[in-house]
Amino acid sequence: GPVEQALAGIWEELLGVTGISRHDNFFELGGHSLLAVRLIERLRKQDLMADVKVIFSSPTLAQLAGMLGEHPAIAIPANLITAATQAITPAMLPLADLSQADIDRLVGTVPGGLANLQDIYALSPLQDGILFHHLLATQGDPYLMLSQSTFASRDLLDRYLDAVQQVVHRHDILRTAFFWEMLSHPVQVVLRHAPLSITEAHIDPGKGSASEQLRRRYDPRHHRIDLNQAPLLRFVTAYDADADRWLLVELLHHLVGDHSTLEILHAEVRAFMGGTGAALGAPHPFRNLVAQARLGVQPEEHEQFFREMLGDIDEPTTPFGLADVHRDGSRVDEFHRMLSPELNQRLRAQARRLHVSLASLCHLSWGQVIARTSGREHVVFGTVLLGRMHASEGNDTAMGLFINTLPLRLDLDQTDVETCVLRTHARLAGLLRHEHASLALAQRCSGVAAPAPLFSALLNYRHNQLSAPEDDGIDPFMGIEGLSAEERTNYPLTLSVEDFGTALGLTAQAVAPLDPERICTMMQRALEQMVDALERAPHMPVCQIDILPPAERELLLRTWNRTETDYPATCCIHQLFEAQVE
């Protein structure tokens, strides 16, 4: 029928395969959450609407086609502030809860006043949490992301910064500042004009390499930026005389961007530098996400879902005893490892066989690591959701902080491995409907009494897109090289699974003295044992999955337990004591 044919055409485009059948499975063909976002966007353009959970619970083409129907989008309230507005009243701010006194105070604070004020709306749930930890930090900022790049010439650097400014002109979130002092509720304010902040730094030849001096000077562990001043994207330039090149430090606050936002930013900068910026599609405002979070799924539905998941959890899940989830991001070490091509292929083959996403296998493996290092059978950890499943038109190319962190509960008991994989996939699918729920609300639905944390570890499953070469062979970024990039959270333990489509990597961040390399090794062992079990013993209890690599098992059980030693067996204890005193 026409619906199935239309859906097959979209699948062919997204998945890069031909000859789609009615019984093909979205995940078996290589689908994942990021492609699901694009699938929803393509369906919307053909007036075919799908609830996001349906894509994960009915993944075959025939099943999904039968479930497409009326899922009306949230009606986004119009922005009533115009360039001609002479005064703002509470009735003009449908996405904020401010009194007239709040508004008057805010207008007097905004740079440029009313004439430079384009929009006002509340924070998203994750923005609320990030602002809380910004205010809690006594120095530095756990959510300030730093990266460094090198440029072959000053002209190339200037062209890059000019392109960034054009991207800022396009996107509301990049012209957004945050205000909370003397207000009833924190709000974000979109400015009409927000010129880039560019500082030129002096390099001291006697204090080490230029890049290391900049890293120390602007290290987010002690450096902060003013959230009242947009854009929350700051740049520092410096000439590296030793290498005859220019360095650029980029500071982006997590309040206005996530991993997908950075990829969109760099793609648009590349377009402007390559002369194709005029062909970019119309930008979509971040206010649409705020409207979705406020007007979409109601708090009562969120509460019911999380009470069913977490109501009987009455103790925190704290691997390695790490219970402080209000850290400032300092004393965190990072380690990255790529998995072998063989393990990558085996994991993907099992995901296809079970018609689940690879992310489901990784979540279950991380759950086993958490279970063994916390001594718990019923574990909870935070999972980072893409946050773009329910947003409105253009959500696949919109910029802003769309991600959200929510708790995932897994039961690592006598249930067999294969059943646990399917159960994990279903639980992740259920979370998607609640991707804009407040973490604070979710935590209140558990039996863990505040102020104890519900969990202290995160899993971030990231789809990393490799840059495609320019069609004409001319790369606008030629002469630009990335040196380093760093982002952190307030949590003491975070694992990112880096999915490159054809390769898989692990990045662990752990608070000292915990070794992040050890965490990657445990996760790799869990993945190896998980795929072994699925291939050879799918009905083995999941709790028997091992996370200790042979080297660490040898260390724990044998090396540290070698107690055989010669001693004066004929002496009494008091004589040995006297000898020790002497």
Side-chain angles (χ1 to χ4, degrees):
V3 173
E4 289 188 7
Q5 290 181 17
L7 188 55
I10 296 173
W11 280 24
E12 288 184 349
E13 176 193 352
L14 290 178
L15 302 172
V17 295
T18 57
I20 301 285
S21 91
R22 301 184 68 240
H23 306 293
D24 276 335
N25 184 286
F26 182 71
F27 297 104
E28 190 173 351
L29 294 177
H32 50 70
S33 58
L34 189 62
L35 287 176
V37 173
R38 296 171 186 161
L39 172 59
I40 292 171
E41 179 70 10
R42 303 295 197 282
L43 288 170
R44 188 196 59 76
K45 290 179 178 178
Q46 297 196 28
D47 295 323
L48 297 172
M49 304 298 291
D51 184 276
V52 61
K53 185 178 179 180
V54 170
I55 296 175
F56 286 79
S57 60
S58 304
T60 68
L61 187 136
Q63 289 174 328
L64 181 56
M67 300 293 287
L68 297 178
E70 291 295 324
H71 297 281
I74 297 296
I76 309 296
N79 177 14
L80 302 178
I81 302 174
T82 70
T85 297
Q86 298 296 311
I88 300 175
T89 65
M92 298 170 66
L93 304 178
L95 298 179
D97 302 310
L98 296 181
S99 67
Q100 188 62 57
D102 288 331
I103 295 171
D104 295 341
R105 190 176 297 114
L106 180 63
V107 171
T109 307
V110 170
L114 183 58
N116 196 31
L117 201 157
Q118 178 181 313
D119 203 354
I120 302 172
Y121 38 83
L123 277 60
S124 72
L126 186 58
Q127 285 178 320
D128 268 324
I130 287 178
L131 177 61
F132 170 79
H133 281 100
H134 170 84
L135 297 175
L136 193 66
T138 55
Q139 62 175 358
D141 192 325
Y143 286 98
L144 184 60
M145 300 183 286
L146 179 146
S147 63
Q148 276 199 61
S149 305
T150 69
F151 291 75
S153 67
R154 179 69 206 212
D155 176 67
L156 180 61
L157 173 59
D158 289 339
R159 288 195 294 112
Y160 178 87
L161 293 173
D162 287 343
V164 173
Q165 183 68 74
Q166 293 182 75
V167 177
V168 170
H169 288 328
R170 280 172 47 81
H171 292 276
D172 288 1
I173 191 65
L174 297 182
R175 302 192 309 280
T176 295
F178 293 78
F179 297 88
W180 60 90
E181 293 180 343
M182 305 295 289
L183 300 178
S184 303
H185 302 277
V187 292
Q188 46 192 325
V189 176
V190 182
L191 305 182
R192 298 187 185 279
H193 305 285
L196 288 182
S197 169
I198 304 170
T199 303
E200 185 160 337
H202 172 70
I203 300 300
D204 187 337
K207 293 186 177 179
S209 71
S211 62
E212 182 60 26
Q213 287 187 51
L214 291 176
R215 190 197 65 78
R216 289 196 303 266
R217 197 176 305 174
Y218 296 96
D219 190 332
R221 291 169 178 81
H222 58 74
H223 182 73
R224 292 165 70 89
I225 65 174
D226 185 355
L227 302 186
N228 295 160
Q229 301 292 323
L232 301 190
L233 174 63
R234 310 290 168 81
F235 292 98
V236 180
T237 65
Y239 179 62
D240 181 0
D242 291 339
D244 188 25
R245 63 183 182 179
W246 283 86
L247 297 176
L248 181 70
V249 173
E250 179 179 309
L251 295 164
L252 176 70
H253 203 282
H254 224 329
L255 278 168
V256 298
D258 54 24
H259 192 69
S260 296
T261 292
L262 282 172
E263 291 190 339
I264 296 167
L265 171 66
H266 293 146
E268 293 202 358
V269 168
R270 182 185 292 271
F272 278 111
M273 292 183 69
T276 60
L280 292 172
H284 298 277
F286 186 70
R287 73 189 318 272
N288 294 356
L289 180 278
V290 175
Q292 181 69 48
R294 289 171 68 92
L295 306 176
V297 179
Q298 294 303 298
E300 296 78 15
E301 186 177 342
H302 289 319
E303 186 172 336
Q304 180 182 355
F305 174 82
F306 286 109
R307 285 204 184 283
E308 291 176 0
M309 183 199 293
L310 305 169
D312 63 336
I313 299 292
D314 56 8
E315 290 185 39
T317 302
T318 54
F320 302 99
L322 298 170
D324 183 4
V325 298
H326 298 307
R327 308 186 64 86
D328 61 4
S330 63
R331 296 178 58 239
V332 170
D333 295 322
E334 179 175 293
F335 180 80
H336 175 72
R337 167 183 296 166
M338 293 301 296
L339 300 181
S340 70
E342 179 196 11
L343 179 56
N344 168 62
Q345 292 165 7
R346 291 171 65 201
L347 287 165
R348 293 183 192 277
Q350 287 304 308
R352 288 194 298 269
R353 181 181 71 83
L354 295 173
H355 298 166
V356 301
S357 67
L358 180 55
S360 299
L361 289 180
C362 293
H363 277 79
L364 183 57
S365 299
W366 181 239
Q368 184 65 0
V369 174
I370 299 301
R372 290 298 182 88
T373 56
S374 65
R376 298 188 58 78
E377 188 175 82
H378 308 290
V379 301
V380 180
F381 58 88
T383 182
V384 179
L385 300 177
L386 194 61
R388 295 173 181 264
M389 298 293 186
H390 290 92
S392 58
E393 177 184 359
N395 63 344
D396 58 338
T397 58
M399 296 182 68
L401 181 69
F402 281 77
I403 61 170
N404 195 14
T405 298
L406 288 175
L408 177 70
R409 181 250 184 91
L410 296 179
D411 301 308
L412 287 306
D413 49 23
Q414 294 293 325
T415 307
D416 67 84
V417 174
E418 192 166 291
T419 299
C420 276
V421 171
L422 300 175
R423 186 181 293 171
T424 302
H425 183 78
R427 185 149 280 177
L428 285 168
L431 265 183
L432 293 176
R433 177 163 175 77
H434 304 274
E435 65 177 355
H436 297 306
S438 160
L439 176 58
L441 179 150
Q443 292 183 135
R444 287 196 300 269
C445 294
S446 75
V448 177
L454 176 61
F455 59 86
S456 65
L458 294 185
L459 178 67
N460 187 5
Y461 193 97
R462 299 196 290 207
H463 294 281
N464 299 321
Q465 295 177 296
L466 299 175
S467 299
E470 295 294 304
D471 292 339
D472 58 4
I474 300 174
D475 185 359
F477 279 13
M478 186 177 294
I480 304 175
E481 179 184 350
L483 279 185
S484 63
E486 178 183 328
E487 55 181 304
R488 298 164 297 128
T489 77
N490 55 282
Y491 288 93
L493 179 59
T494 300
L495 181 80
S496 296
V497 178
E498 317 284 0
D499 188 343
F500 295 93
T502 56
L504 209 59
L506 304 174
T507 301
Q509 291 184 332
V511 64
L514 191 60
D515 182 4
E517 182 177 3
R518 184 182 178 209
I519 301 303
C520 286
T521 302
M522 287 183 175
M523 180 62 173
Q524 179 177 327
R525 175 70 172 177
L527 289 168
E528 291 169 345
Q529 294 293 295
M530 186 73 65
V531 79
D532 278 348
L534 289 170
E535 290 171 346
R536 303 172 187 175
H539 300 300
M540 182 181 91
V542 70
C543 61
Q544 293 181 16
I545 295 292
D546 188 20
I547 71 162
L548 275 185
E552 183 160 353
R553 181 173 292 278
E554 176 74 18
L555 178 69
L556 292 173
L557 298 184
R558 293 180 176 85
T559 304
W560 286 346
N561 279 311
R562 287 176 185 153
T563 56
E564 304 88 355
T565 184
D566 290 331
Y567 67 99
T570 58
C571 293
C572 296
I573 185 66
H574 71 279
Q575 293 171 312
L576 296 177
F577 187 91
E578 290 167 351
Q580 179 68 18
V581 170
E582 292 177 0

